[in-house]
Amino acid sequence: MKKLGVRLGAVALIVVALQFVVGQVAFRRKFRTREAVDGHLARAVPVLYLGDSVIGSFHPADADRRDIAAMVQDRLPPGSVGLADRHGYDLDMFREFTDYVARQPQKPKRIVIPINLRSFSPAWDRRPQYQGEFEKLRLRHGDLLACAWSRPLSSFKLLRLNPISQQEFLETPVFRGTARVGTIRDFDNPSYAVFSEEKLRNKFVLDYLYPLARDHRKIRSMLAIEESCRRSGIAPLFYVSPVDVESGTRSVGPEFKETIASHTKLLRELLAERQVPLLDLSASLDASTFDWRDRLYPNEHLKEKGRRFLADEIAKRVSP
Amino acid sequence: MLSSPNPMTFGSIEFLVLLATVTVLYFNLPQPLRNPLLLVASCVFYMWWKPAYILLILFSAGVDYIVARALGGTSRPGARRALLLVSLVSNLGLLFFFKYFAFACDALKGFLGLFDVGLTPPAIEVLLPVGISFYTFQALSYTIDVYLGRIPPERRFDRLFLYVMFFPQLVAGPIERSQHLLPQFSEPKTFDYERATSGLRMVLWGLIKKMVIADSLARLVEPVYNNPTQFSGLPLVIATYAFAVQIYCDFSAYSEIAIGTARILGFSLMDNFRRPYFSKSIPEFWKRWHISLSTWFRDYVYIPLGGNRKGRPRWYFNLLATFVLSGIWHGAKWTFVAWGAYHGILMLLSVATEGLRSRVRLPAWVRAAVTFHLVLAGWVLFRANSLSDAGYIFSHLFQGASLEPLLDAGLLKADLVLAAVAAVALLGIDLAERRRPAGERVRTWPAAARWTAYVAAALVLLNLSAEVEIPFIYFQF
């Protein structure tokens, strides 16, 4: 038995050593957002702007197609703003980045955190592709450990790289206020290749009319970001990304406007308890500034005029 | 004891720790303490999920112990029959209550509804105890064997209890026979390096089959079969082929890990699969698929019903009844009844056309392909969530060739490629095992090649296993 134990131990050691190599070769992909953050920190950029797809999207007819961070930079001294963004990023991911930044020797003075109200909806919050667990592990533990061991540990159920299966996602209940109106399967399947008012209404309901409570995990992440910033001496700027309230209200009714106002009120109150202001831009733009009409389903992507407005508002608050 | 949200599975760290601990302790303890150790390990294994459910196994083993002891003490046929009836009613009653009660109530309600008789059956919501179909059948085989005089009654209750709940095969078989397994608990065992490494090879291969192949295929099967009306044509065909490989890998993996685990500890369990998809007829398939269950039904249902000894009509009835019962054993759903009946009918047709088939001798590969596709059609009934889903799948198998719906369901092209590669690799290995099990081949390799294979297999297991936990399919039975 001793012979078997020794041989098993030897095989285990070889496997562990090789796993570090396999992890680097098979699972280490480019992590552009973290590379961007590292670059900004190395250049001692004072304002770090974290963002989702809203920051970089543009309308084909825009004369200025630059991202919002670049427009903010126009209004500030050179080298003031560094952008780290990716589509599908939200408060959960920003929390990991904030913690990552807080652990670095060189820190920015300010971090800009957009709050996309759609990211609280079940269609975003529980979407398997938006969980980013592997990226979170890389931010927390570094590439050597995360790339080598996150997959094996996940296989043996010691951690969950994919915490929500597609099936679980599709079975997630959808609420309109407090009334359950179906599951994501009922709402998320329609093809948007052909426009219809009903599909539009359903999309507004799915993405914005969810009930929001203080214990929502995105809210917990928001508060954790504030705490992390406070402890590391970074001033956060939280702002709520503009929502097409005009189209939503036209499609769903006054309930849409009221829900957006109620959600932002809750966020404002929670941050106010910690003496942190919230820049509420949720209802600040009219329908003409959004570019989603060409993509057939509503989102927060902005045309040039909307991006300029947003850049002005942010620049006012982060200028030295 | 705290309960876990899920049963302990072979692919979990808890099980590997349990196995390592039990192995080390088992061979270092004095003989009299070894069976108690296995009993404790089996209790830990079973009680990991719902501790209270161990009382059911205790009840089943307790009744069978008393009945068998009483059978040993009487030769009066009437008393012996009555005692056997007690065991049958207790074990099957337990099984019926936990597995079939709600189904039977629904069926009765539906039947009475045909005559406008309203019935509100009592609503009893119980969680199905893991492995109940397996351990009740194993316990029953003991009492029946004692009744038939094949074995003497076991004197020691702890040994019988261990026979019913020996942890490697407790929840999904192989369903052992008392003549084979029970005496092994009385034999002194010493550690054997060759036997242990052979067992470890089986465990490793079983884990790869389950965690890499079966679970990857499940990612393809589940979205389609859980929502079939969203799909038509090629996705349905792919999912059906994928399920055929998934269920084979899933279930044969469980059996291999069980056999390997037992082998490490010095026990021998019966084979459960012998490359079933290479069968050249349906009767042959049933000699190679879930062997422990098919032989159980053969020995304790089909032969007692008269087998083929009472004329053709009765023979056909016996075949059909045995297969329908086998279908029902799998689960309380009409789809399983239909699956059992389908295989029963295929068996009848095989028997009825035997003469014709022996005259028209098709090449072996054609017969194997035909048999596989007949089995494949049965898997649609087996996996579909309802008969109407199965009907939809059959009627839409050849409508459309787009893969887009599969990609829309969250699958990547890489998933499809990996699934295809895994299925082909499995086919290749099964083909290579025609003469000798792959594990035995590996044993004869030079040390360097052998170690390379072990390390590579471990790395495959670590890096290619599906990340979402898919319970063993046969856990639900």
Side-chain angles (χ1 to χ4, degrees):
Chain A
M1 185 180 276
K2 195 174 168 187
K3 180 178 155 192
L4 180 66
V6 169
R7 290 188 173 190
L8 280 177
V11 169
L13 275 178
I14 295 169
V15 169
V16 166
L18 284 176
Q19 182 56 32
F20 281 101
V21 180
V22 171
Q24 297 305 306
V25 174
F27 300 116
R28 185 170 179 166
R29 293 181 289 267
K30 258 187 124 46
F31 193 173
R32 291 182 198 283
T33 328
R34 190 185 59 189
E35 284 171 15
V37 168
D38 290 342
H40 299 320
L41 297 185
R43 288 193 302 279
V45 170
V47 178
L48 180 63
Y49 193 150
L50 300 175
D52 57 17
S53 59
V54 176
I55 314 301
S57 64
F58 56 86
H59 189 269
D62 287 347
D64 184 350
R65 296 181 172 189
R66 290 177 309 144
D67 60 57
I68 296 169
M71 292 177 171
V72 175
Q73 177 60 69
D74 288 347
R75 292 147 177 83
L76 298 174
S80 295
V81 181
L83 173 66
D85 66 331
R86 192 168 188 277
H87 74 271
Y89 273 13
D90 53 30
L91 285 166
D92 291 338
M93 195 52 100
F94 299 153
R95 173 187 182 171
E96 298 294 336
F97 272 104
T98 309
D99 288 344
Y100 174 77
V101 168
R103 287 195 298 272
Q104 307 306 313
Q106 179 73 45
K107 298 178 183 58
K109 291 193 176 76
R110 304 213 63 159
I111 290 189
V112 180
I113 308 283
I115 300 175
N116 188 328
L117 286 179
R118 195 155 52 95
S119 71
F120 295 81
S121 72
W124 180 317
D125 183 46
R126 288 182 57 79
R127 187 173 292 278
Q129 298 87 333
Y130 285 2
Q131 303 306 309
E133 293 299 319
F134 184 46
E135 288 162 305
K136 290 174 187 171
L137 288 168
R138 289 178 75 177
L139 286 168
R140 274 181 228 158
H141 305 294
D143 284 349
L144 189 65
L145 275 179
C147 293
W149 293 104
S150 49
R151 181 70 196 256
L153 292 179
S154 174
S155 299
F156 282 90
K157 306 352 170 215
L158 295 174
L159 64 84
R160 298 194 71 182
L161 272 186
N162 295 302
I164 300 165
S165 69
Q166 184 72 9
Q167 186 73 17
E168 289 167 329
F169 169 65
L170 293 174
E171 298 305 327
T172 303
V174 173
F175 288 87
R176 180 173 182 166
T178 53
R180 185 178 162 153
V181 289
T183 63
I184 288 182
R185 190 188 296 284
D186 307 321
F187 281 80
D188 207 43
N189 265 335
S191 160
Y192 291 100
V194 181
F195 177 82
S196 85
E197 282 301 335
E198 190 193 353
K199 282 182 195 170
L200 178 63
R201 190 163 48 250
N202 282 340
K203 191 71 179 151
F204 273 123
V205 168
L206 173 66
D207 286 346
Y208 299 101
L209 296 193
Y210 51 84
L212 186 60
R214 300 167 78 98
D215 63 348
H216 193 292
R217 68 171 174 157
K218 296 281 187 286
I219 289 187
R220 290 202 303 271
S221 289
M222 179 184 79
L223 298 177
I225 291 170
E226 187 280 324
E227 197 173 322
S228 183
C229 286
R230 183 157 34 87
R231 276 207 301 250
S232 51
I234 304 169
L237 169 64
F238 291 99
Y239 74 88
V240 180
S241 299
V243 174
D244 190 351
V245 175
E246 187 184 332
S247 301
T249 305
R250 196 162 49 233
S251 178
V252 178
E255 177 192 0
F256 187 86
K257 189 175 181 177
E258 291 158 13
T259 304
I260 297 292
S262 155
H263 290 348
T264 49
K265 179 169 175 265
L266 175 65
L267 300 176
R268 191 168 47 245
E269 285 172 357
L270 287 167
L271 286 172
E273 286 171 11
R274 297 170 177 229
Q275 285 80 48
V276 175
L278 173 70
L279 173 58
D280 178 10
L281 302 175
S282 60
S284 57
L285 292 174
D286 60 53
S288 68
T289 52
F290 291 87
D291 83 341
W292 65 262
R293 287 273 168 198
D294 294 339
R295 301 174 211 280
L296 301 174
Y297 71 93
N299 59 37
E300 300 74 16
H301 295 181
L302 298 169
K303 293 179 180 170
E304 183 182 339
K305 185 181 165 193
R307 296 206 305 284
R308 285 193 180 286
F309 168 79
L310 201 54
D312 281 337
E313 293 298 317
I314 292 166
K316 271 187 237 169
R317 280 148 185 100
V318 296
S319 64
Chain B
M1 181 189 275
L2 288 174
S3 61
S4 154
N6 295 307
M8 188 188 289
T9 59
F10 285 163
S12 66
I13 290 295
E14 302 92 65
F15 176 75
L16 298 179
V17 170
L18 178 77
L19 175 59
T21 311
V22 170
T23 306
V24 171
L25 288 176
Y26 185 78
F27 290 108
N28 285 291
L29 281 175
Q31 292 284 352
L33 295 179
R34 290 183 177 184
N35 282 349
L37 170 73
L38 291 180
L39 206 47
V40 169
S42 301
C43 289
V44 169
F45 180 77
Y46 196 76
M47 293 168 78
W48 198 256
W49 180 50
K50 298 279 177 211
Y53 277 179
I54 200 165
L55 296 175
L56 301 176
I57 308 183
L58 199 58
F59 170 78
S60 182
V63 167
D64 289 329
Y65 176 75
I66 294 165
V67 164
R69 296 283 291 169
L71 280 170
T74 179
S75 54
R76 285 187 300 126
R80 291 176 67 79
R81 273 199 297 274
L83 284 166
L84 180 64
L85 197 64
V86 169
S87 171
L88 289 172
V89 169
S90 310
N91 283 293
L92 297 179
L94 203 66
L95 190 57
F96 177 82
F97 176 76
F98 280 96
K99 193 164 175 176
Y100 302 105
F101 186 73
F103 174 70
C105 286
D106 278 350
L108 182 65
K109 188 180 170 187
F111 178 72
L112 293 176
L114 295 175
F115 307 100
D116 290 330
V117 178
L119 174 81
T120 311
I124 301 175
E125 294 253 336
V126 284
L127 270 175
L128 184 67
V130 168
I132 190 167
S133 306
F134 289 90
Y135 67 71
T136 49
F137 268 42
Q138 186 154 315
L140 267 180
S141 86
Y142 164 72
T143 331
I144 298 172
D145 285 348
V146 172
Y147 174 78
L148 295 173
R150 290 174 182 158
I151 52 160
E154 175 57 54
R155 287 182 180 191
R156 293 185 54 163
F157 177 67
D158 60 338
R159 212 173 279 163
L160 180 67
F161 193 33
L162 186 53
Y163 158 74
V164 177
M165 65 171 305
F166 185 43
F167 74 92
Q169 41 87 242
L170 171 59
V171 295
I175 303 170
E176 270 298 334
R177 303 306 172 78
S178 49
Q179 299 125 287
H180 182 231
L181 183 59
L182 204 44
Q184 295 185 51
F185 294 116
S186 314
E187 295 162 0
K189 296 196 166 38
T190 50
F191 181 79
D192 180 330
Y193 178 83
E194 287 300 329
R195 194 185 56 215
T197 50
S198 154
L200 280 171
R201 273 195 295 270
M202 290 188 83
V203 170
L204 183 58
W205 175 228
L207 289 175
I208 290 175
K209 265 165 102 172
K210 165 65 182 157
M211 295 171 69
V212 178
I213 305 178
D215 289 357
S216 301
L217 291 166
R219 272 173 48 74
L220 209 163
V221 174
E222 292 202 348
V224 176
Y225 267 83
N226 288 342
N227 205 15
T229 52
Q230 300 285 329
F231 302 88
S232 65
L234 196 55
L236 294 175
V237 173
I238 289 175
T240 303
Y241 276 101
F243 180 68
V245 182
Q246 184 205 344
I247 191 168
Y248 171 49
C249 285
D250 189 289
F251 193 22
S252 66
Y254 191 96
S255 295
E256 277 182 65
I257 300 169
I259 294 168
T261 301
R263 192 175 285 181
I264 293 168
L265 294 167
F267 291 84
S268 145
L269 299 181
M270 68 188 293
D271 276 350
N272 222 9
F273 292 87
R274 288 193 201 116
R275 304 186 307 114
Y277 288 153
F278 289 92
S279 305
K280 290 179 276 301
S281 68
I282 291 295
E284 188 188 340
F285 174 78
W286 282 107
K287 285 178 187 149
R288 296 163 67 152
W289 176 275
H290 202 174
I291 299 163
S292 64
L293 181 73
S294 31
T295 52
W296 196 100
F297 272 101
R298 181 196 65 199
D299 295 346
Y300 300 115
V301 178
Y302 174 71
I303 291 174
L305 281 173
N308 61 359
R309 301 184 308 274
K310 298 194 172 179
R312 278 207 172 243
R314 182 63 188 269
W315 179 15
Y316 292 172
F317 170 80
N318 292 344
L319 271 176
L320 197 57
T322 304
F323 274 91
V324 169
L325 283 175
S326 160
I328 294 172
W329 176 89
H330 283 82
K333 277 165 73 175
W334 287 112
T335 48
F336 291 124
V337 178
W339 174 75
Y342 169 76
H343 271 280
I345 291 165
L346 288 182
M347 285 295 280
L348 294 190
L349 292 173
S350 294
V351 168
T353 60
E354 204 168 6
L356 175 70
R357 285 187 296 118
S358 64
R359 282 197 298 277
V360 185
R361 211 65 187 156
L362 294 167
W365 69 268
V366 174
R367 282 180 285 143
V370 170
T371 304
F372 173 75
H373 284 90
L374 288 172
V375 171
L376 188 69
W379 290 138
V380 174
L381 292 167
F382 189 95
R383 178 58 183 85
N385 290 335
S386 65
L387 286 177
S388 61
D389 276 5
Y392 174 87
I393 291 165
F394 281 126
S395 60
H396 288 76
L397 274 176
F398 304 106
Q399 294 183 11
S402 170
L403 283 178
E404 282 305 313
L406 277 179
L407 305 178
D408 290 346
L411 287 166
L412 305 172
K413 281 188 178 151
D415 293 325
L416 298 177
V417 172
L418 180 65
V421 168
V424 170
L426 178 82
L427 194 75
I429 289 171
D430 258 16
L431 204 60
E433 285 196 326
R434 263 181 312 174
R435 291 188 185 83
R436 203 155 45 128
E440 292 306 303
R441 279 173 196 263
V442 173
R443 192 175 63 83
T444 59
W445 289 359
R450 214 165 54 232
W451 277 55
T452 306
Y454 297 152
V455 169
L459 288 172
V460 164
L461 184 64
L462 291 178
N463 294 290
L464 293 181
S465 295
E467 294 159 63
V468 178
E469 183 165 20
I470 312 283
F472 280 98
I473 293 174
Y474 269 67
F475 264 28
Q476 63 186 296
F477 306 139

